[in-house]
């Protein structure tokens, strides 16, 4: 692999800390929203290792040093994401939802089977999922004051960090697909395939947890869940449709100012003193200050 070209994408090892008493309803005002995102979190330690394996396999066919460097950075970021999700999910399962293990087993089988498909199909799944994710990012960022107000900042901040990095590496899976395989129809199908492959087990897990909470048969709660889902779909659908257009390229999607500010305030060579936590007590939820260690001294961004 050519190592002379350096990717601008940063690998951040962020020390998010989850204690064993973390509440599944980490936004006490929005248990349905919390469970929806807990359901999506459950999928990540299955999806993201698959994205890494597929990228690694695909890069063997790529010569472009920039695509190779970005692909390596993509794998490093996704590796960090799923490890944090895994820690969070384990606490969730231990705190009253051991039945989630059944959905996890199904996902294990699903990605094992998917792993045997032709490389173009697998890379299109990755590229499609990653393009669609930009809609989920926009939803999380723009609706943060609505959805994360009074929420447990550890959970809100880790989802926001994940989504910030999804924006940062938005081109990687697409570029790798174009360089290794190419082809419009497979890529367009990959958008639907990748979206459904994650969305369905995520919703299934959310419904299981809401049933366990005794909320699923409460019509007000059910309505709030559907509203939350509809609001998510409203953001994601245009990205999904644009991603399926011929000639679409994720780099043409505009990045949110909050995301740019988060990325610019992170010192790339720094060792963080603690995880950057968003102030969820205020609806503005500005970009958190980054506290980092330099020469043994803790500094904070202004
Ligand atoms: Fe990720
Ligand atoms: Fe990603």
């Amino acid at each position: 692999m050519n190592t002379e070209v350096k990717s601008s994408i940063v690998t951040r090892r962020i020390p998010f800390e989850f204690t064993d008493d973390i509440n599944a309803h980490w936004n006490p005002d929005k248990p349905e929203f919390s469970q929806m995102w807990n359901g999506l979190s459950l999928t990540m330690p299955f999806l993201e290792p698959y994205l890494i394996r597929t990228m690694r396999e695909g890069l063997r066919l790529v010569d472009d040093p920039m695509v190779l460097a970005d692909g390596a950075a993509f794998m490093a970021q996704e590796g960090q994401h799923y490890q944090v999700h895994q820690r969070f999910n384990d606490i969730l399962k231990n705190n009253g939802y051991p039945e989630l293990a059944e959905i996890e087993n199904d996902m294990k089988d699903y990605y094992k089977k998917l792993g045997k498909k032709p490389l173009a199909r697998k890379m299109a799944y990755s590229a499609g999922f990653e393009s669609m994710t930009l809609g989920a990012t926009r939803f999380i960022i723009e609706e943060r004051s609505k959805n994360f107000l009074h929420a447990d900042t550890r959970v809100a901040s880790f989802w926001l960090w994940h989504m910030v990095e999804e924006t940062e590496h938005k081109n990687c899976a697409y570029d790798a697909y174009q360089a290794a395989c190419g082809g419009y129809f497979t890529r367009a199908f990959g958008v639907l395939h990748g979206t459904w492959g994650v969305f369905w087990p995520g919703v299934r897990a959310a419904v299981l947890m809401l049933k366990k909470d005794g909320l699923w048969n409460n019509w007000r709660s059910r309505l709030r869940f559907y509203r939350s889902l509809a609001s998510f779909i409203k953001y994601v659908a245009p990205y999904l449709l644009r991603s399926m257009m011929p000639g679409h390229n994720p780099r043409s999607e505009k990045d949110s100012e909050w995301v740019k500010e988060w990325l610019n305030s992170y010192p790339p060579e720094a060792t963080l003193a603690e995880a950057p936590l968003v102030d969820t007590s205020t609806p503005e939820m500005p970009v958190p200050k980054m506290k980092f260690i330099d020469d043994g001294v803790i500094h904070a961004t202004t």
Side-chain angles (χ1 to χ4, degrees), residues 21-235:
D21 61 351
I22 215 154
N23 192 338
H25 298 177
W26 40 266
N27 185 341
D29 299 334
K30 291 183 172 279
E32 299 80 12
F33 174 83
S34 305
Q35 294 294 34
M36 190 176 117
W37 285 83
N38 291 342
L40 289 173
S41 178
L42 195 81
T43 67
M44 295 297 145
F46 299 90
L47 165 77
E48 291 180 317
Y50 163 85
L51 297 178
I52 295 170
R53 291 193 298 274
T54 303
M55 177 64 84
R56 191 174 292 125
E57 194 183 338
L59 290 184
R60 291 192 201 120
L61 304 179
V62 174
D63 296 322
D64 184 325
M66 199 65 243
V67 177
L68 290 169
D70 279 348
F74 169 90
M75 291 190 282
Q77 282 198 339
E78 298 293 17
Q80 291 299 311
H81 297 170
Y82 86 78
Q83 288 178 54
V84 179
H85 281 281
Q86 185 71 70
R87 283 197 283 121
F88 175 74
N89 298 349
D90 287 345
I91 295 174
L92 207 63
K93 278 185 289 170
N94 287 336
N95 285 352
Y97 307 101
E99 300 84 353
L100 290 173
E102 197 188 317
I103 300 178
E104 290 187 317
N105 283 336
D106 289 349
M107 284 191 284
K108 206 193 253 174
D109 291 345
Y110 171 79
Y111 282 108
K112 199 172 163 191
K113 271 188 205 144
L114 193 58
K116 292 176 184 151
K117 300 280 180 210
L119 181 62
R121 283 273 300 277
K122 293 192 286 184
M123 292 188 84
Y125 183 102
S126 300
F129 173 79
E130 290 284 315
S131 298
M132 177 283 298
T133 297
L134 298 176
T137 301
R138 178 128 330 238
F139 170 72
I140 279 280
I141 305 288
E142 287 191 1
E143 301 273 310
R144 67 187 184 283
S145 33
K146 203 166 106 190
N147 293 319
F148 291 139
L149 191 62
H150 308 312
D152 184 325
T153 182
R154 296 167 296 179
V155 186
S157 304
F158 113 75
W159 266 118
L160 286 161
W161 155 73
H162 187 167
M163 292 295 134
V164 163
E165 292 196 346
E166 288 304 314
T167 298
E168 193 181 24
H169 71 225
K170 67 182 182 182
N171 304 321
C172 301
Y174 169 87
D175 287 347
Y177 172 80
Q178 292 297 109
C181 311
Y184 166 67
F185 289 104
T186 307
R187 183 180 66 75
F189 176 72
V191 176
L192 295 175
H193 193 195
T195 302
W196 184 250
V198 178
F199 189 71
W200 169 240
V203 170
R204 198 180 144 207
V207 171
L208 183 151
M209 289 185 277
L210 287 168
K211 279 183 181 166
K212 202 86 202 278
D213 298 339
L215 290 172
W216 189 244
N217 289 329
N218 174 324
W219 69 268
R220 283 178 202 275
S221 175
R222 184 90 66 101
L223 204 62
R224 281 196 296 268
F225 179 74
Y226 289 142
R227 273 209 196 113
S228 218
L229 211 55
S231 156
F232 175 75
I233 291 168
K234 195 182 89 187
Y235 272 85

